[in-house]
Amino acid sequence: MNTGVSRLTLDLTGALDTDAEELQSLAEQLRRTLLELDVEDVQLARQGAAAPAGAKPGEVIAVGALVVTTAPLLVRQVLQLVDTWLRNRPLRSVTVEIDGDTIELGNASAEDQRRLIDAFVRTRSPQAGTPQAGTPQAGTPQSGE
């Protein structure tokens, strides 16, 4: 059994005409959507750069970035939700980083994206990468074939 938590950093990349205010608004929309899952927490990411003079450390928000804390077994659901949410938004992509591993969502067809998510999750945790019972994998022979 895999215990502990996974921390995913989501970095939204806007379309060419997306400004910082719109990007932050989209990040807040995604945050609210992610909180509907059974995740532990979703916070606006803090910028790693030095804070401006007079600001307290940790007060600077990274525009268009979120940090999701969740059980490892929910990583697939988080990635699938982000991919689905992204499809009708003025964004080019969402880059997800977990412990130095990254996946970029938004630059593939829905079927290709599903396969990429499956492969990404499977390489991180073979047990977590196993599809739920009754969910066929592309290219996997089904009974009777």
Side-chain angles (χ1 to χ4, degrees):
M1 177 191 292
N2 194 354
T3 59
V5 295
S6 290
R7 293 180 67 88
L8 295 78
T9 302
L10 283 58
D11 188 16
L12 286 65
T13 303
L16 293 177
D17 61 346
T18 305
D19 63 19
E21 186 176 315
E22 183 178 14
L23 193 59
Q24 192 60 26
S25 175
L26 288 164
E28 289 169 3
Q29 288 174 27
L30 179 56
R31 178 181 180 272
R32 287 189 297 274
T33 302
L34 286 164
L35 285 169
E36 293 175 12
L37 288 177
D38 195 19
V39 298
E40 201 170 295
D41 195 20
V42 182
Q43 294 292 319
L44 297 173
R46 304 290 176 201
Q47 217 165 18
K56 293 180 186 173
E59 284 186 345
V60 179
I61 302 290
V63 175
L66 300 170
V67 176
V68 180
T69 306
T70 188
L73 291 174
L74 290 178
V75 168
R76 176 189 305 278
Q77 284 182 276
V78 169
L79 294 174
Q80 289 171 333
L81 183 141
V82 170
D83 182 52
T84 301
W85 178 87
L86 175 64
R87 299 221 175 259
N88 296 311
R89 302 298 187 288
L91 295 168
R92 285 193 313 227
S93 65
V94 175
T95 302
V96 181
E97 185 270 329
I98 307 172
D99 299 327
D101 295 334
T102 61
I103 183 172
E104 187 170 290
L105 304 174
N107 293 325
S109 70
E111 181 61 23
D112 286 345
Q113 198 68 68
R114 184 191 63 77
R115 281 196 289 267
L116 289 169
I117 289 170
D118 287 347
F120 182 76
V121 172
R122 195 169 32 254
T123 61
R124 297 199 40 76
S125 170
Q127 189 176 36
T130 306
Q132 295 175 341
T135 305
Q137 287 273 66
T140 303
Q142 301 299 306
S143 58
E145 288 185 22

